[in-house]
Amino acid sequence: MAERNKRTVRDLRRTNRAALLRHLYFEGPLSRQELGQGTGLSSGSVSNVAAELLAEGVLEEAGSVESDGGRPRTLLRVAPHSAYLIGVDVGETRVRVELFDLTLAEVARSELPLEDGGHDVTLVVRLIADGL
């Protein structure tokens, strides 16, 4: 009987992408060599994943550093403006909607007051939509 939980090549690629992005997000900018050391991925896997993410605009080059006797190493980082995140906070007195880039730097903010008794679901949803 075939095993149902076998990992596919697609699963492996997704895992490798996540490992590389996670490491760059928290530790970057880093060279491809440092990414290999930090993630445990082979140099070929790092090169392939990095090339895909660069082509998609998720990563960008962030300068270079001298190496120990070869070509300078290109540093990579998560491209801050390749995607955005939205946060919504519904408080007692206001609705706040914020837009962040991938480095969690605030790009925009909207604060809309809630009047007394203004916790009606329809009103709150409308304020969130206005903030968006």
Side-chain angles (χ1 to χ4, degrees), residues 92-129:
E92 289 184 37
T93 60
R94 52 120 179 96
V95 172
R96 180 171 44 200
V97 179
E98 293 177 284
L99 177 67
F100 301 93
D101 66 18
L102 277 187
T103 63
L104 296 183
E106 185 180 296
V107 175
R109 174 190 300 194
S110 174
E111 289 199 31
L112 304 160
L114 280 172
E115 305 300 326
D116 290 336
H119 290 89
D120 174 62
V121 173
T122 305
L123 172 65
V124 171
V125 169
R126 185 178 56 78
L127 291 174
I128 292 170

Side-chain angles (χ1 to χ4, degrees), residues 1-2 10 12 15 33 43-44 51 53 67 77 98 100 102-103:
M1 185 184 318
R10 187 177 187 179
L12 183 59
T15 300
Q33 180 184 14
S43 60
L53 293 170
S67 68
R77 69 176 172 205
E98 293 177 284
F100 301 93
L102 277 187
T103 63

Side-chain angles (χ1 to χ4, degrees), residues 32-71:
R32 287 171 178 81
Q33 180 184 14
E34 292 168 321
L35 282 168
Q37 293 168 352
T39 61
L41 297 174
S42 70
S43 60
S45 291
V46 169
S47 290
N48 289 338
V49 172
E52 288 174 9
L53 293 170
L54 281 163
E56 293 170 14
V58 176
L59 296 184
E60 64 185 13
E61 293 184 355
S64 62
V65 293
E66 294 297 320
S67 68
D68 298 332
R71 296 186 317 198

